[in-house]
Amino acid sequence: CPIWFFANLLFNLGLRWTSVANSSVISTLSGLFTLLLGAVLGAERFTWMKLVAVFLNVAGVVVVTAQDFRSSSKGDSGSESLLGDCMCLLAAVMYAVYTTFLKTQVERDECVEMPMFFGLVGLFNSVLLVPLLAISHFLGVEKLQVPDGATLGMIVLNGMVGTVLSDYLWARSVLLTTPLIATLAISMSIPLSLLADVVFN
């Protein structure tokens, strides 16, 4: 639970100090970390073809993101910084640890009840990490307030589709395939989001 929480926290904090383009490219390095860590821990068999696939994946994301960055922010220097890049890099490492840990601890999909697994992740995050919200409120780091109805509805919708459903499908894919395949497949969200942007905007 803490690994998952801090991977997401670091990535989102990194977005505060770096561009979306940089964070997208850096996050694809999780494939490399997943391959290396998986090979060391026995969750993944290292082959040169897999390494080439990881580098092609990173190169593809670099091309797509660079084109999107150029077209969306001409003349804008952005808020890129080393701190944000480092946070996104650390998030990519933690994601690789979480993915590989899941595969090494649960070898087959039938061995885990996914709703129970994510229910326990939610419970542990609520009990152990929600107190951090109160502390951040009192320290002035983050202001907590009750959202209006429309905002609350969007938060719930985003949580159900953008987090619960996507994490459920991702975890199943890790167990049904390998950590590397699941990690590389997530990178498909970048060109697909660009395609959705073209279609709907």
Side-chain angles (χ1 to χ4, degrees):
C1 287
I3 298 170
W4 175 86
F5 175 82
F6 284 109
N8 285 296
L9 177 68
L10 284 169
F11 180 79
N12 286 303
L13 284 175
L15 285 173
R16 182 179 284 183
W17 291 291
T18 193
S19 67
V20 173
N22 279 8
S23 65
S24 296
V25 172
I26 292 169
S27 69
T28 61
L29 293 175
S30 62
L32 177 63
F33 300 134
T34 301
L35 175 61
L36 297 176
L37 188 62
V40 169
L41 297 178
E44 193 79 52
R45 193 169 59 88
F46 180 87
T47 66
W48 289 106
M49 276 310 257
K50 287 181 181 179
L51 186 61
V52 168
V54 167
F55 282 116
L56 287 174
N57 176 55
V58 173
V61 172
V62 167
V63 168
V64 169
T65 308
Q67 179 60 37
D68 183 52
F69 184 68
R70 249 187 258 118
S71 64
S72 67
S73 62
K74 289 180 178 162
D76 182 19
S77 62
S79 60
E80 301 169 6
S81 80
L82 185 60
L83 176 62
D85 291 348
C86 288
M87 286 183 156
C88 289
L89 185 64
L90 188 55
V93 170
M94 293 183 86
Y95 170 83
V97 169
Y98 180 70
T99 304
T100 307
F101 181 77
L102 178 63
K103 185 67 173 185
T104 58
Q105 297 304 305
V106 183
E107 292 180 11
R108 291 186 326 277
D109 182 53
E110 305 84 38
C111 296
V112 66
E113 191 71 35
M114 279 297 164
M116 176 71 79
F117 174 75
F118 280 108
L120 289 172
V121 167
L123 177 67
F124 285 126
N125 280 324
S126 296
V127 171
L128 300 174
L129 301 171
V130 166
L132 293 177
L133 292 175
I135 292 168
S136 66
H137 176 73
F138 289 117
L139 293 176
V141 174
E142 187 72 37
K143 182 180 177 190
L144 296 179
Q145 60 188 29
V146 178
D148 59 74
T151 304
L152 183 61
M154 290 307 293
I155 290 170
V156 169
L157 180 64
N158 182 41
M160 294 302 293
V161 175
T163 303
V164 174
L165 180 61
S166 66
D167 282 357
Y168 174 82
L169 294 173
W170 164 82
R172 292 287 311 271
S173 71
V174 168
L175 298 176
L176 291 171
T177 61
T178 68
L180 180 63
I181 291 172
T183 301
L184 294 179
I186 286 178
S187 297
M188 287 301 297
S189 65
I190 294 169
L192 290 176
S193 64
L194 291 175
L195 179 63
D197 191 43
V198 168
V199 170
F200 296 113
N201 289 329

